[in-house]
Amino acid sequence: MKPRTRTRTKSAKAIDYSELSGDGLVFARADESRDGNDINIDEGEAQHHNYQQQYASTSANNKTHSHVPRLLEIPLEEHSTTQKIKIINNGVELTAESLRADPDSLSRPIIIRDDCRSIGMVMPKCLTVRKIANTLGDGYPVTVMDVKTQEEAEEIRNLGDLAEYFEASPVERTKLPILNQISLEFSNTALGQKARSPAFVRELDWIDNVWPLDRRKAGDYPRVQYYCLTSAAECFTDFHCDFGGTSVWYHIIQGKKDFLLIPPTKSNLKRYEEWLCSPDQNTIFFADLLSCGDCMRVTLLAGMTLIIPTAWIHAVYTPIDSVVFGGNFLHSLDIEGQLNINCIETRTHVQPKFRFPQFYHIMFYAGAYLLETLRAEQGDGRKFGSIITRYTKLSVKEREGLPILVQTLKAWNAVPGGDANIRGSKEEAAIDAAKRAGCASVADMISELESRLKGETVQNMDEVDEDVMLIEGNGTLKKEPGVMRLKLRVSNNMMSSGN
């Protein structure tokens, strides 16, 4: 959810590629109301029609993005007939286990209409920008974007200024630019004590599961799990994918959002990459480049929660002032999609500060984690390393994604040189992941992962006596002796089908 100004190919103009995370999507059906909530859907759609009229009357101010009129021309999707979005009315049914068991899990957006507590989520109620400022302090720094220019707004520098902006009268607002704040990551703040992501997200999220706990306690981990978005009426964010191919959880606390959602087919992603590199990108409405029916418009109402899957392309319009909590997460159920978006970001020259932090690091830690899962699945009870896995068997989607992860780790590990002795470098993280998996080298870890994935019997391993360096909560290092390191040798005998 952090704003990003991208540097593209030399022939392309710089653009703002704004919401790095969670832009919500939930839509309303005209003849239904939500259980356990006072929202009337008929009224919601009627209000939305009023927003269209309001936009027509206020657009003369020319303060919002030029794509908004085109967005509002696209009719709302009827969720009773669409197969593109999964609707969840009973939140207790949505679990990590159910998603892992479903071969189509996280391949389409999920709308949770039930109370947020049904999915193990904790959210504050009646949260305003002023209350956020009171919690974190008026001087807490924020980055705010001018919607029309998609550039940083210099006049707002902290939460106190932002609260005053949102408290301005309607007459005063007409004299001010339309501002969008989408980059406030609050996991290590007082605000973070008021929120918890969905339980199934925490059980799938690589940051919570594959990233070493001792490093996390020392403050060394990607901070992308909790964002607060505060958007003024008529805000717009142009089409984008979330960084690193992350999936997104998104909860509307106050207000409303409109989304245009596009599935990540090969042809759509190809056109998306071409559009990103076009010198005319800012004047082209991306959805107009696609086949009819590839883009759907949906509405997310207050109290609803949605999951945006890996690589879904989306644009966002805010009809009324809104406060949203959301977060990003990498997981094992679409490894290929995540790596594909990372490649697109590389080819289109996305600046490092606007990409998923420590992306390469977490991929090596994921490789070590999935290796340990494969060991458990194949009945190998030996204690090789220090990794504790949540599951003892790979899901269908995890097994499908592992070959591309193996090939990617091979390619990254083959790059000569590096900063293996510098803590926090990609090379150091790769070596650390191998050691935690009980392997003598990164190459051995990747080789064993590949062999076990193919079903080859892993045997005749040579023990290597080597200590592991663990990071304490205070940032100091300590040795963990007595962990077996293994130099890998495999045979070509296939594992039995029962394993």
Side-chain angles (χ1 to χ4, degrees):
M1 297 180 192
K2 183 178 180 180
R4 45 186 165 178
T5 301
R6 300 186 56 258
T7 302
R8 296 172 292 132
T9 56
K10 291 182 179 180
S11 62
K13 297 178 182 177
I15 65 170
D16 183 277
Y17 184 33
S18 294
E19 286 184 35
L20 285 189
S21 349
D23 337 276
L25 79 148
V26 169
F27 54 81
R29 180 183 172 188
D31 59 354
E32 293 189 28
S33 61
R34 294 176 59 240
D35 295 335
N37 198 303
D38 294 331
I39 297 172
N40 181 286
I41 304 301
D42 278 330
E43 179 183 348
E45 285 209 345
Q47 287 178 351
H48 193 87
H49 179 69
N50 290 337
Y51 298 145
Q52 289 179 293
Q53 293 179 328
Q54 177 186 0
Y55 175 79
S57 64
T58 60
S59 60
N61 292 328
N62 199 28
K63 295 189 300 180
T64 193
H65 199 282
S66 59
H67 289 338
V68 171
R70 179 68 185 93
L71 179 149
L72 293 174
E73 290 175 1
I74 299 176
L76 283 168
E77 189 88 9
E78 182 68 37
H79 76 239
S80 61
T81 58
T82 185
Q83 299 297 314
K84 298 177 181 178
I85 295 180
K86 185 174 182 178
I87 306 297
I88 300 294
N89 291 312
N90 182 2
V92 297
E93 299 174 356
L94 188 59
T95 64
E97 288 288 2
S98 68
L99 291 171
R100 294 181 77 248
D102 181 2
D104 295 323
S105 66
L106 293 181
S107 62
R108 54 180 173 155
I110 301 173
I111 297 171
I112 301 102
R113 296 164 56 90
D114 203 355
D115 187 282
C116 67
R117 292 171 294 182
S118 70
I119 55 174
M121 189 163 62
V122 176
M123 287 289 119
K125 295 182 178 179
C126 303
L127 188 67
T128 64
V129 180
R130 175 56 66 188
K131 289 181 179 179
I132 296 170
N134 289 342
T135 301
L136 299 181
D138 285 352
Y140 197 92
V142 293
T143 300
V144 179
M145 308 301 293
D146 183 318
V147 169
K148 181 180 179 181
T149 65
Q150 296 283 283
E151 299 292 339
E152 185 174 337
E154 300 291 337
E155 57 267 44
I156 303 293
R157 288 296 186 183
N158 55 53
L159 282 174
D161 294 339
L162 191 61
E164 290 181 5
Y165 168 83
F166 275 92
E167 291 168 349
S169 69
V171 173
E172 292 172 323
R173 278 280 194 97
T174 62
K175 304 173 185 178
L176 300 173
I178 299 170
L179 300 182
N180 202 13
Q181 184 287 118
I182 50 178
S183 59
L184 177 54
E185 210 285 338
F186 63 86
S187 56
N188 283 346
T189 71
L191 195 61
Q193 301 172 9
K194 302 177 182 293
R196 288 192 81 189
S197 61
F200 68 87
V201 169
R202 284 177 268 125
E203 292 176 19
L204 296 175
D205 189 347
W206 278 356
I207 296 175
D208 288 325
N209 292 280
V210 312
W211 194 267
L213 181 59
D214 56 290
R215 291 199 170 217
R216 177 160 184 157
K217 287 181 178 179
D220 175 16
Y221 69 97
R223 309 221 176 158
V224 298
Q225 294 176 296
Y226 290 92
Y227 284 96
C228 173
L229 290 73
T230 54
S231 305
E234 296 189 59
C235 275
F236 174 80
T237 302
D238 212 346
F239 290 95
H240 64 282
C241 296
D242 284 283
F243 58 4
T246 47
S247 298
V248 179
W249 64 271
Y250 196 94
H251 182 80
I252 294 278
I253 296 175
Q254 184 173 302
K256 187 176 183 178
K257 294 274 186 176
D258 270 19
F259 278 78
L260 293 186
L261 300 163
I262 298 169
T265 63
K266 288 184 178 179
S267 60
N268 287 346
L269 287 174
K270 182 176 183 294
R271 287 186 178 273
Y272 172 68
E273 186 172 349
E274 293 169 349
W275 175 75
L276 287 178
C277 295
S278 168
D280 300 319
Q281 185 267 345
N282 285 331
T283 60
I284 297 173
F285 188 67
F286 175 65
D288 288 339
L289 303 177
L290 308 178
S291 301
C292 181
D294 268 0
C295 181
M296 60 179 169
R297 176 178 162 212
V298 297
T299 296
L300 180 64
L301 303 176
M304 291 181 173
T305 307
L306 101 134
I307 306 300
I308 304 176
T310 294
W312 274 69
I313 306 163
H314 50 285
V316 192
Y317 173 63
T318 308
I320 57 176
D321 290 358
S322 299
V323 176
V324 171
F325 277 7
N328 295 67
F329 62 105
L330 292 169
H331 54 81
S332 303
L333 301 181
D334 195 352
I335 295 172
E336 182 175 2
Q338 292 165 171
L339 290 170
N340 189 25
I341 295 303
N342 179 68
C343 289
I344 290 176
E345 291 174 340
T346 298
R347 290 194 298 266
T348 57
H349 306 291
V350 177
Q351 297 178 39
K353 66 179 180 179
F354 300 128
R355 298 178 68 169
F356 187 94
Q358 299 172 294
F359 182 86
Y360 297 90
H361 307 55
I362 202 168
M363 287 293 162
F364 278 102
Y365 284 123
Y369 181 90
L370 293 170
L371 170 58
E372 193 65 35
T373 305
L374 269 174
R375 288 167 175 168
E377 177 182 307
Q378 295 173 357
D380 196 330
R382 290 172 290 177
K383 181 61 179 174
F384 295 142
S386 59
I387 298 171
I388 300 175
T389 61
R390 183 180 292 274
Y391 304 105
T392 58
K393 187 176 181 179
L394 294 179
S395 70
V396 172
K397 297 296 289 185
E398 288 169 331
R399 197 174 301 277
E400 289 177 355
L402 260 179
I404 186 64
L405 178 62
V406 168
Q407 295 307 312
T408 301
L409 297 183
K410 274 186 178 181
W412 290 346
N413 192 49
V415 177
D419 301 315
N421 295 321
I422 299 179
R423 180 178 174 271
S425 69
K426 291 182 290 186
E427 293 75 16
E428 185 269 339
I431 293 171
D432 183 56
K435 287 183 177 181
R436 291 172 190 270
C439 298
S441 68
V442 178
D444 277 358
M445 181 186 78
I446 297 170
S447 180
E448 184 184 349
L449 182 59
E450 184 175 33
S451 298
R452 288 187 180 276
L453 185 60
K454 292 177 179 178
E456 295 173 343
T457 303
V458 179
Q459 60 184 9
N460 299 326
M461 293 184 176
D462 298 329
E463 295 186 18
V464 178
D465 186 14
E466 186 175 344
D467 294 331
V468 187
M469 299 302 293
L470 295 180
I471 303 169
E472 296 286 86
N474 60 5
T476 60
L477 296 175
K478 74 168 186 178
K479 287 186 178 180
E480 182 188 84
V483 177
M484 183 169 62
R485 299 279 170 258
L486 303 170
K487 289 185 178 179
L488 178 68
R489 292 202 299 271
V490 302
S491 72
N492 291 323
N493 297 325
M494 299 302 294
M495 301 289 289
S496 68
S497 60
N499 291 330

